[in-house]
Structures are given as C-alpha cells and as structure tokens.
C-alpha cells in the first residue's frame, strides 16, 4: 500500500513520487490550500494540497484534503519537494509532499482525548490503542523493543540457549501469591502461573544446558504500584560451574553493551560493589541511588546519654539505630515543608522526625534552631554538627528506631530531599549490592523468611553451621542497581539436597511439605547437580529507565491499573456458571461486613 514511511521521507527523494500511509496528526484548510501532517510510526511529514492548473484532478485532491479530520486514516500519493519554510523540529522538516491523490481509508470518529493534551491515565488505558498511537508512546515502546532485540543479539552471539519453561506449573511459595488455574481434567486440583522460571532453570543446569536464558512472562498476585504489575517480563539467566563473579562480570558486560547500543550511553567500565550492610549503613537502602551524594551518619554514640529519651532509648537498644542526615541548604525550609518531610518519613515507618537548622555554625548553640536542642548539651550539638559535616545554611534530620526501620525511613527521606533540593547528578550510577542476609525474621508469622528466595545458597558450606548461625547468616545473593532501581537480582544457588532441606527447615517448611512442594527439585539435586547460579533482569524496569519514565506502565503495551484491572477489555470479569462447572469451581458469596 505504500512505498515509503512518513518519517523517512528526506531530501534524497526530492522530485520522486511516493505513496504514504498514516494518520492525520494535524489538518489545516486555508481556503483552497490545505496542509496535513501525516504520521506513522517513523514520524511526521507535511502533505500539501494546492491549486495547480496543470495537475489533472487537482480539484479532487483539494476537496479530499479539506474533508480530512483528526486521526483519519489516509493513503497519500504525491511528489516530494523542498520546503520553503524549514521545520527543524521534525526529521522530515526539509521537505514536503505535494499530493496528487488522497484516499480516506477509514474515517475516525471524534476521539475521547487528543494526543497533544495531557489526558488522565484512566482514559488513556481505556483507549490504549489510541494512547499507543501517540508519538511519545511509540518512542517509549520502541525503546523497549530495541532493548529486547539488543539483549537477544548479545546472548545468542555468546551461545546462551533460549529455552522455554512451562506457564502452567506447580504452586510454590516464592514470596508472593500465586495465580491459580483450575485443572479441568483433574477435579479439585490446580496449576499455578509461574512467579519466575526459577526451579526449571536450575533443573536445566542439572540437565547439562550450561548457559540458559529466556525472556519470560511471570505472574504475581500482589499489590500494584508504579514499578509493579500482576504480569511482567524478565530476562532469566542461569549458568553452571560458576561463582558470583562469573555471573556478575558476564551480565555487567551485557548491560554495558545494550545501553551502548540502545541509548549510546557508556556505563562505567567496572561497576562498584557494595555489601548490603554498607548500603544500609550509608544510604538506608539496599538499592541506593549513588547520583545523590547525601549519606547517613550514625550518631548513637553521641546521644547515648542525652536527655532526649527518644534518642537515648534507641541508642542503648540492642537493635536500635540513631541516624542523622545532613541536607545542604535546607535551613531555608519552612515549618510546613519540614512537616511534609515528616509525613513522608511516616509513610515509610517513622514515628516522628527530629530536625535542626544550622543557621550560623560559628555561633554554636546560638546558631542552631531546633526543638530538640534544649535536650542536648553544647558538646553533643558540636559533635553532631562535626560528624555530619553540616555548615551554615544546612539542616540535619534525625531518625531513631530499630536499625531496619530507621534505615528504611531515613533512606526514603534521603531520596526525597535529594530530588527536592536538586542534588541528583546527571548520568547513570550502576553498582552491585552483595552479601545479603540469608534470612529475615517475620514477627507476624514468627519464623524466618528468605530475603531473596529459598534456593539462594548461604556463604557457608556446612548445614550445621547455617543452622547454628541462621540469624546472622549471609547469602551468596547479589543485585544489580541502577539509579536507585534494582534492575537485576540473582544468586549462587543451593546445589546440595541436604543444604536445601536445611534451608527449608529454617524457613518453617517441614520435610513432608518440602517433599510435596519441592520433591522434584530435591530429587534433581541428588543426581550430580553442578554448582550453578543466575540472575533475572526486569525488562519493564530497564525499559522504563531507558525511556525516561517513572512508571513501567508506560513501557508495557497493555498494563493493568493499580486496582489490577484492564480498563480496555474489562478484565477481570465474571464467567458463566456453566464455564465454572466445567472446571469444578464454585463461587463463595462475599462475606458480609
């Protein structure tokens, strides 16, 4: 139907006849002279319909052009010529197409929103096909497409094997709820949609496929937010006969390559490495954004004997932390702004947020404005200012709570202050975070839970040692972080059945339950399973970073809303009783409040 794409018409085609297909982005009728901006996925070119006594049928062309409306679907034939008024804002701005024929392929009814207006997300998702047609969404989605293509090229060139794993599988606990699928041929039994291909890719290592990858669809029935979806895509990789650095060095090279190819960005020649403990201590996060230079400062030793009980109590608590954060130039903040920061910290677990404004560091106590200053002696105030490096015009914020809670909310405050105060440096800041705790204690369930997943190997080789030191055990897990986002997470896996059984036991999974849920894995580990490890990268998250958007919904063609709905199709929706009966399912009535 066409000879060229709209956005690729250039000066080399001047004098040639072209046929283009696309949508009318803008149509202007100047009374016998008509202009149409014709758009396809490559871009926009200007179409001109103008009077010309020597051009047969030109009146028909002008008549057709004058009837064109917004987003009408057109085919245009015409001659390329140089534009008199150049448009430097578009790639085709040096040329235009003088129409000899305009065909209306499909008339567009009045649209629910205009591509050039800032429509709400709900209306955009309801009419997603119109949203995806816009140049900005085309750009974002094509960034994702280029990312996946670059990843496949890199992996295929290095003999990684693309192997599909099942979508209908067995329900296993991996930290989130499974989506269950009733098995029609097995009444009362269910498949689960995979949260990841984790167990299958480990078994492929046992089967002798040394280097595996898959662009895998994964499913988790969990609450949604900007960087979470019920169904998502990840690049899964697994290696046999490897240690941590083997996996890290290979995948680091891969990420450098795809950023270079897709974005023309040169990432660091070697990503820095930081332990989990250091990341939490310095940044209050296991995925620190290193573009923000702000760091947390522990001040428990300075306030252990002070009169401010919130500080002294947590400073003397076995699992307590008192931490300070210097905010450069923040002494100018109003009380309302400080209260807003306290509310932000509260969202992340803070019970309160103490603060000091250093209005004049040279004046000591007299230069400090703070509601807690009266509880601290001169030496303590001076020590805090010195430890944080605060100067005149700065503010200091304080957090006091359990170590993890104080780290979490002060880490969140660090990010917000960094953005609000313009302290986020340009560019890309990748790093590896390593040596994660093996377990964390769940107070609600009164048991350990795996920080990564139950198949992550501990740093110790002896099961008895792990059992004796479970609280402080370190795993062989690692995450790749980029600009404050975890883009990949992996570990060396457990390849010994006895160690795997020990981990299950520490997680409260008894021998009978472990055999019922993971017997196939335990069996595989008994038959010469090689040492192996891997990693999974979030395609949606990397694409969003590359596209410059904070929401992964912008790089997923048909995402769900935060209420887990597809507004375009109306999913989820009821199904007829007959269809439920076929899969042996009945619906319980909703419990009355």
């Amino acid at each position: 139907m066409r000879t060229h794409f709209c956005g690729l018409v250039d000066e080399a085609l001047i004098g040639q006849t072209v046929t283009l297909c696309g949508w009318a982005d803008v149509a202007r009728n100047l009374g016998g002279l008509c202009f149409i901006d014709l758009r396809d996925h490559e871009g926009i070119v200007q179409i001109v319909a103008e009077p010309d006594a020597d051009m047969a049928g030109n009146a028909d062309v002008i008549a057709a052009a004058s009837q064109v409306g917004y987003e009408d679907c057109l085919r245009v034939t015409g001659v390329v010529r140089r534009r008199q008024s150049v448009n430097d804002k578009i790639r085709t701005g040096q040329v235009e197409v003088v129409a000899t024929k305009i065909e209306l392929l499909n008339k567009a009814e009045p649209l629910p929103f205009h591509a050039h207006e800032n429509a709400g997300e709900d209306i955009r998702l309801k009419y997603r096909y119109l949203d995806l047609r816009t140049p900005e969404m085309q750009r974002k989605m094509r960034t994702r497409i280029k990312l996946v293509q670059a990843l496949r090229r890199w992996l295929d060139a290095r003999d990684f094997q693309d192997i599909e794993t099942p979508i209908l599988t067995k329900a296993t606990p991996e930290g989130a709820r499974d989506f269950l699928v009733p098995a029609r041929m097995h009444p009362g039994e269910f498949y689960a949609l995979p949260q990841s291909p984790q167990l299958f890719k480990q078994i492929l290592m046992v089967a002798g496929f040394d280097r595996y990858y898959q662009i895998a669809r994964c499913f988790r029935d969990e609450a949604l937010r900007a960087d979470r979806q019920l169904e998502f895509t990840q690049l899964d990789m697994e290696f046999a006969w490897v240690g941590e650095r083997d996996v890290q060095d290979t995948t680091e090279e891969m990420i450098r390559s795809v950023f270079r190819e897709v974005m023309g960005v040169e990432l660091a020649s070697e990503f820095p490495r930081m332990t989990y403990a250091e990341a939490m201590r310095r940044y209050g996060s296991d995925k620190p954004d290193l573009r923000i230079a702000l760091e947390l400062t522990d001040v428990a030793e300075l306030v252990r004997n002070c009169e401010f009980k919130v500080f002294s109590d947590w400073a003397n608590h076995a699992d307590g932390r008192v931490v300070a954060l210097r905010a450069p130039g923040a002494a100018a903040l109003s009380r309302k702004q400080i209260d807003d920061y306290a509310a932000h910290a509260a969202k992340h677990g803070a019970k309160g947020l103490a603060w000091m404004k250093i209005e004049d560091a040279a004046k000591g106590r007299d230069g400090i404005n703070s509601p807690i200053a009266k509880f601290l002696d001169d030496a303590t105030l001076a020590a805090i200012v010195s430890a944080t490096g605060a100067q005149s015009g700065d503010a200091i914020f304080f957090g006091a709570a359990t170590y993890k809670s104080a780290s979490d909310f002060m880490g969140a405050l660090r990010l917000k202050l960094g953005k609000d105060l313009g302290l986020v440096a340009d560019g890309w800041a990748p790093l590896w975070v390593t040596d994660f705790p093996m377990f964390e204690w769940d107070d609600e369930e009164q048991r350990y839970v795996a920080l990564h997943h139950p198949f992550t190997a501990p740093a110790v080789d002896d099961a008895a040692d792990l059992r004796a030191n479970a609280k402080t055990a370190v795993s062989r897990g690692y995450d790749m972080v980029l600009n404050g986002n975890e883009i990949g997470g992996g570990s060396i896996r457990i390849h010994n059945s006895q160690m795997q059984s020990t981990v299950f036991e520490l997680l409260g999974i008894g021998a009978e339950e472990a055999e019922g849920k993971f017997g196939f894995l335990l069996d595989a580990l008994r038959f010469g399973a090689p040492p192996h490890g891997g990693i999974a990268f979030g395609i949606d998250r990397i694409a969003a970073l590359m596209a410059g958007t904070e929401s992964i919904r912008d790089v997923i063609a048909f995402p769900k809303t935060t209420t887990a709905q597809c507004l375009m199709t109306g999913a989820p929706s009821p199904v007829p009783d007959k269809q439920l009966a076929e899969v042996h399912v009945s619906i319980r009535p909703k419990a009355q409040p």
Side-chain angles (χ1 to χ4, degrees), residues 338-539:
I338 291 176
D339 289 344
D340 288 343
Y341 284 118
H344 180 76
K347 290 179 184 177
H348 295 271
K351 303 296 185 186
L353 188 68
W355 54 271
M356 287 181 183
K357 292 182 180 182
I358 313 302
E359 295 175 342
D360 188 341
K363 293 183 178 179
R365 174 185 294 277
D366 292 337
I368 294 174
N369 176 4
S370 171
I372 65 168
K374 61 188 176 183
F375 299 108
L376 306 174
D377 59 34
D378 291 352
T380 301
L381 287 172
I384 290 172
V385 171
S386 175
T388 59
Q391 300 174 6
S392 298
D394 294 346
I396 304 173
F397 293 92
F398 299 88
T402 63
Y403 193 94
K404 186 173 188 315
S405 179
S407 301
D408 287 347
F409 68 73
M410 290 299 286
L413 179 65
R414 171 184 172 270
L415 289 178
K416 184 164 178 57
L417 281 167
K419 292 174 182 176
D420 291 352
L421 299 177
L423 302 176
V424 183
D426 292 333
W428 301 88
L431 79 151
W432 287 102
V433 178
T434 66
D435 301 329
F436 283 80
M438 186 74 182
F439 308 109
E440 58 183 352
W441 183 255
D442 188 312
D443 286 326
E444 187 175 328
E445 296 192 22
Q446 286 294 295
R447 66 177 183 89
Y448 287 116
V449 294
L451 199 66
H452 265 82
H453 56 58
F455 319 107
T456 296
V460 297
D461 295 325
D462 183 72
D465 188 349
L466 177 64
R467 190 179 287 107
N469 299 286
K471 184 177 181 180
T472 57
V474 172
S475 79
R476 299 178 70 182
Y478 38 81
D479 285 354
M480 185 186 288
V481 176
L482 183 62
N483 290 5
N485 297 270
E486 177 210 328
I487 63 170
S491 66
I492 299 302
R493 322 302 189 189
I494 299 168
H495 68 280
N496 175 280
S497 61
Q498 181 185 359
M499 179 64 82
Q500 186 64 77
S501 294
T502 300
V503 170
F504 286 153
E505 175 191 327
L506 289 168
L507 293 172
I509 302 172
E512 185 176 342
E513 182 183 0
E515 187 62 34
K517 291 182 175 178
F518 303 106
F520 63 98
L521 173 66
L522 294 170
D523 286 346
L525 297 181
R526 296 185 184 106
F527 291 104
H532 60 282
I535 193 168
F537 288 94
I539 297 292

